[in-house]
Amino acid sequence: MIFFCGDVHGQFGHVISAVQQHRPDAIVLLGDLQAPQPLETVLADIIDLTEVWYIHGNHDTDGTRDYCNLWDSGMADRNLHGRVVEIAGVRIAGLGGIFRGHIWMPPNHPVYASPAHYLQHCGKANQWRGGLPRKQRSSIFYADYQALAHEKADIMVTHEAPSCHPWGFSVLDRLGQSMGIQKSFHGHQHDSLNYREHDARLGFKAYGVALRAIMDENGNIISTWEDPAHD
């Protein structure tokens, strides 16, 4: 069984507890991790209990700490962004980050098709670590999208939502269709709406995983999060 975890925003205790209790084969974090320490340190208690995978979200490039605790961590190779990986016998495709008007805001044409294209125009003073500005490292570039469109997968995980969400994007519908997926899971919106009326139009089942919620690969809710401030 695979668990899909909604935006944790720095709080991992519920994920650790769920893994210790249910022992899933793998977990996939759907972005906005904002790990307070290197990810392998934060998840040290469960690394030997399950496979850990993730995609990044927009807030994972908010600050140097957020960025480094993912991309410089010992689990940097577990980022599914821009590729398909077989996990627990299931082919999962990942597209992290968000659409930004400065780069690409569908349905408009991309302003910059690739990171290399953007770097040709942003100026060296705006570069970070000799490459993309930190913020733009969580922007979706058309080149990453197009590369995935030529792959095949069973499940697609994205930070942004497909068009079944009021703030979703039809380009993600088309991406899932081109890859032949059966299901998609997204974070970012912090809600979990009922998308069943869209199944036929999409050609796959879509699920939104709410803020700090956990869902299994069949769309069953494993746990939800309640704000301690409202207890």
Side-chain angles (χ1 to χ4, degrees), residues 36-217:
Q37 296 175 284
L39 191 59
E40 70 274 18
T41 301
V42 175
L43 297 179
D45 289 342
I46 61 171
I47 285 178
D48 293 334
L49 301 180
T50 190
E51 288 189 45
V52 177
W53 298 87
Y54 65 90
I55 53 173
H56 59 270
N58 51 301
H59 287 295
D60 291 315
T61 58
D62 279 357
T64 301
R65 186 194 73 168
D66 295 323
Y67 180 92
C68 291
N69 284 340
L70 282 189
W71 277 273
D72 294 344
S73 77
M75 302 189 76
D77 63 334
R78 294 304 182 97
N79 193 338
L80 289 168
H81 174 70
R83 60 179 176 150
V84 178
V85 176
E86 184 170 321
I87 302 170
V90 180
R91 296 170 301 171
I92 300 182
L95 187 67
I98 63 168
F99 296 109
R100 290 189 170 104
H102 187 59
I103 303 295
W104 179 29
M105 182 58 69
N108 299 322
H109 292 294
V111 179
Y112 300 102
S114 67
H117 185 202
Y118 182 80
L119 284 171
Q120 291 173 0
H121 296 86
C122 74
K124 284 193 174 181
N126 293 315
Q127 294 182 13
W128 188 65
R129 292 183 169 183
L132 286 176
R134 187 185 64 240
K135 177 181 177 180
Q136 302 305 344
R137 298 184 187 207
S138 63
S139 296
I140 297 174
F141 285 87
Y142 181 73
D144 295 328
Y145 171 95
Q146 189 62 21
L148 274 181
H150 296 292
E151 301 287 342
K152 293 299 179 184
D154 304 306
I155 292 175
M156 177 176 73
V157 294
T158 58
H159 194 56
E160 292 275 26
S163 70
C164 47
H165 191 280
W167 301 105
F169 294 87
S170 61
V171 292
L172 296 181
D173 305 354
R174 295 194 291 273
L175 179 60
Q177 292 157 7
S178 68
M179 290 191 293
I181 66 168
Q182 300 169 13
K183 302 171 186 176
S184 75
F185 294 84
H186 74 83
H188 190 44
Q189 300 297 342
H190 293 188
D191 54 25
S192 183
L193 307 180
N194 187 334
Y195 296 149
R196 277 178 290 186
E197 66 180 282
H198 300 276
D199 288 356
R201 175 179 65 82
L202 293 174
F204 56 84
K205 295 182 182 295
Y207 302 95
V209 187
L211 173 68
R212 301 190 180 107
I214 301 175
M215 186 178 287
D216 71 17
E217 63 193 81

